[in-house]
């Protein structure tokens, strides 16, 4: 068995990058081969720089050399010479204790804020006596929430209320704030109140 992890939000899920790495570390500790795709685009605010890495946990040096050789063959035709500024920013933050501590504090605040916006959204929907159960929004974590809304409902949110989300109902939680969450909840209520279920 080989496990593949996509860690695009390390630290953003719980507010603690160490805690968010638990599953990867538990697989490594159990001796299960791990392939890890990791991004710093969201958790360090480097969206346009597409900074990340691909790690493979190998059993020994010989295997590591063979894997590295294969990965280089794959990487070369894909990007050849990737931009370096994003990697330097991440490296600078991770290697400087003052910057690293600041980043840890900021990522904790980001996760806490997202969770509070999820709660505010659900609380507003409950206050409007929505006929639907919205707890799935607060049970999720991270930057996005899958609302359960249909394609037609998301289209109506865009057309009638200028609320933009993907066709599958995924909404960007950081786009919510104390000034707009009530409006968004009212719009969600308006477009779902007559639907039998989500």
């Amino acid at each position: 068995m080989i496990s593949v992890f996509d860690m695009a939000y390390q630290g953003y899920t719980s507010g603690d990058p160490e805690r968010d790495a638990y599953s990867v570390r538990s697989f490594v500790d159990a001796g299960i081969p791990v392939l890890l795709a990791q991004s710093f685009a969201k958790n360090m605010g480097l969206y346009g720089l597409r900074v990340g890495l691909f790690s493979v946990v190998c059993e020994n040096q010989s295997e590591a050399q063979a894997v590295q050789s294969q990965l280089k063959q794959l990487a070369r035709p894909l990007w050849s010479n990737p931009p370096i500024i994003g990697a330097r920013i991440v490296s600078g933050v991770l290697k400087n204790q003052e910057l690293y501590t600041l980043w840890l504090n900021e990522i904790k605040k980001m996760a806490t804020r997202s969770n509070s916006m999820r709660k505010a959204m659900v609380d507003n929907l409950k206050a409007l006596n929505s006929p639907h159960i919205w707890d799935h929004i607060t049970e999720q974590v991270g930057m996005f929430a899958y609302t359960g809304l249909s394609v037609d409902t998301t289209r109506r949110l865009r057309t009638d209320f200028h609320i933009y989300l993907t066709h599958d109902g995924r909404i960007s939680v950081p786009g919510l704030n104390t000034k707009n969450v009530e409006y968004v909840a009212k719009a969600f209520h308006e477009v779902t109140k007559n639907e039998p279920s989500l």
Side-chain angles (χ1 to χ4, degrees):
M1 173 171 60
I2 295 176
S3 57
V4 179
F5 288 88
D6 178 6
M7 191 177 289
Y9 303 94
Q10 186 176 0
Y12 209 119
T13 302
S14 69
D16 179 0
E18 292 297 319
R19 181 175 175 197
D20 291 354
Y22 171 79
S23 57
V24 175
R25 289 191 178 125
S26 66
F27 274 63
V28 171
D29 291 345
I32 300 169
V34 169
L35 307 178
L36 171 64
Q38 193 169 11
S39 170
F40 292 96
K42 295 172 182 75
N43 63 6
M44 287 206 179
L46 300 172
Y47 301 100
L49 300 178
R50 310 305 294 169
V51 66
L53 58 100
F54 183 70
S55 302
V56 180
V57 179
C58 299
E59 287 188 24
N60 53 54
Q61 185 65 28
S62 175
E63 182 180 66
Q65 288 173 341
V67 168
Q68 185 178 32
S69 173
Q70 293 298 308
L71 291 176
K72 283 180 179 179
Q73 288 182 35
L74 290 171
R76 179 79 176 157
L78 292 174
W79 62 80
S80 183
N81 190 14
I84 197 164
I85 187 66
R88 285 190 174 155
I89 293 169
V90 171
S91 179
V93 169
L94 297 178
K95 289 179 178 178
N96 179 298
Q97 189 58 49
E98 183 180 345
L99 293 176
Y100 181 68
T101 300
L102 179 63
W103 175 68
L104 290 176
N105 290 333
E106 288 177 353
I107 204 158
K108 176 69 174 170
K109 287 178 187 175
M110 290 181 349
T112 301
R113 182 192 172 283
S114 288
N115 290 338
S116 70
M117 288 299 101
R118 288 174 183 279
K119 184 177 182 321
M121 179 73 170
V122 172
D123 288 349
N124 274 282
L125 285 161
K126 287 179 180 177
L128 292 165
N129 294 314
S130 172
H132 305 291
I133 297 171
W134 296 95
D135 293 341
H136 58 282
I137 291 176
T138 53
E139 290 168 356
Q140 298 172 42
V141 293
M143 290 183 65
F144 300 100
Y146 287 94
T147 60
L149 301 181
S150 68
V151 172
D152 290 337
T153 304
T154 61
R155 187 176 296 115
R156 199 168 154 216
L157 281 170
R158 280 191 300 281
T159 304
D160 298 350
F161 299 96
H162 304 286
I163 295 172
Y164 301 92
L165 60 162
T166 59
H167 292 297
D168 62 0
R170 186 179 79 154
I171 190 167
S172 174
V173 177
L176 297 172
N177 59 57
T178 55
K179 294 183 173 130
N180 70 12
V181 69
E182 184 178 353
Y183 173 80
V184 174
K186 284 180 180 176
F188 270 52
H189 178 63
E190 186 61 33
V191 299
T192 63
K193 65 185 179 184
N194 296 320
E195 291 188 8
S197 64
L198 294 178

